[in-house]
């Protein structure tokens, strides 16, 4: 479980569900994450065999990241968590701010 406890893993993995992406595309899709945290998370996902990097012999060089089969399987609980947050998040946010939930 410790390997999946990184809060940024779903943030980086989610946009890869749309297919292979270049580093710059992926960092924009990941939203409010620092460059350092983004790079660290992406490298960790590679070591965990959730993401594969492809280097193309072109000028200028092009590198894309894509989910492996295991990475695609991980999207199932990530999507489920996103749906749960969408449904329950507003009430939880209101409760933590001292407001009464709907």
């Amino acid at each position: 479980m410790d390997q999946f406890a990184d809060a940024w893993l779903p943030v980086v993995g989610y946009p890869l569900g749309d297919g292979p992406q270049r580093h710059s595309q992926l960092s924009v899709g990941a939203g409010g994450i620092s460059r350092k945290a983004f790079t660290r998370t992406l490298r960790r996902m590679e070591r965990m065999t959730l993401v594969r990097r492809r280097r193309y012999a072109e000028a200028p060089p092009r590198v894309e990241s894509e989910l492996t089969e295991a990475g695609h399987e991980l999207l199932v609980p990530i999507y489920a968590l996103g749906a749960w947050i969408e449904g329950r998040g507003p009430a939880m946010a209101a409760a933590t701010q001292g407001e009464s939930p709907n």
Side-chain angles (χ1 to χ4, degrees), residues 1-14 30 33 37 40-41 44-45 78 81 85:
M1 281 302 292
D2 184 49
Q3 294 294 318
F4 298 96
D6 184 347
W8 294 116
L9 191 142
V11 174
V12 173
Y14 184 86
I33 180 173
R40 184 178 59 232
T41 302
R44 186 172 187 213
M45 291 177 74
I78 289 173
L81 179 60
I85 290 169

Side-chain angles (χ1 to χ4, degrees), residues 17-69:
D18 293 333
Q21 295 185 33
R22 294 179 80 157
H23 191 87
S24 58
Q25 276 180 293
L26 185 55
S27 65
V28 168
I33 180 173
S34 73
R35 173 178 270 163
K36 181 179 178 179
F38 171 78
T39 301
R40 184 178 59 232
T41 302
L42 190 58
R43 298 284 186 254
R44 186 172 187 213
M45 291 177 74
E46 287 177 51
R47 286 190 308 274
M48 295 168 66
T49 68
L50 299 171
V51 171
R52 172 179 34 250
R53 284 173 45 126
R54 288 202 172 161
R55 292 184 176 103
Y56 295 89
E58 298 176 349
R62 179 170 57 116
V63 178
E64 291 183 342
S65 295
E66 65 181 333
L67 291 175
T68 62
E69 183 178 343

